[in-house]
Amino acid sequence: KYTLPVERKEVTLDPATLDRYTGTFQLGPLKMTVTRKGNQLFARPGAQPEAPLLAEAENRFFVRGVDAQLIYSADSSEVTLIQ
C-alpha cells in the first residue's frame, strides 16, 4: 500500500515566536543549528547547507520537498525530527 504525501500548508509566525525556536539542538548523533533571518527560520543539520524551515503550526515546521517535520516541545528546549 502506498500513501500519498500530505500537502503541507505554510502559516506565518511573528518574529518573537520564531526567535523561541533558534539555537543548537542535538538530534541523535546530528547537531542542528536553527537561525532566523528576517521572518524566516533556517536549519543547518551538521555540515550540510542550511535549508528554510516553513511553519505549518506554531511549533511545527517542515522543509519544502523533504518528507520530514521538526516539532518543538512546549518550552522550545527540545526538537523532534519526524521522517
Side-chain angles (χ1 to χ4, degrees), residues 3 5-6 8 24 28 30 37 39 50 52 55 62 67 71 76 83:
T3 304
V6 175
R8 303 202 181 281
T24 301
L30 183 69
K37 296 177 186 174
N39 289 329
E50 68 180 14
F62 67 100
D67 189 20
I71 302 173
S76 307
Q83 294 182 304

Side-chain angles (χ1 to χ4, degrees), residues 61-83:
F61 296 83
F62 67 100
V63 176
R64 194 169 313 283
V66 178
D67 189 20
Q69 292 177 296
L70 292 173
I71 302 173
Y72 283 85
S73 62
D75 67 358
S76 307
S77 66
E78 296 180 6
V79 65
T80 302
L81 173 64
I82 298 177
Q83 294 182 304

Side-chain angles (χ1 to χ4, degrees), residues 15-25 32-37 40-42 53 61 72 76-77:
T17 300
L18 294 175
D19 282 341
R20 292 188 355 224
Y21 302 121
T22 61
T24 301
F25 303 91
M32 181 183 68
T33 302
V34 177
T35 57
R36 179 174 71 87
K37 296 177 186 174
Q40 180 71 60
L41 289 181
F42 291 86
L53 291 178
F61 296 83
Y72 283 85
S76 307
S77 66

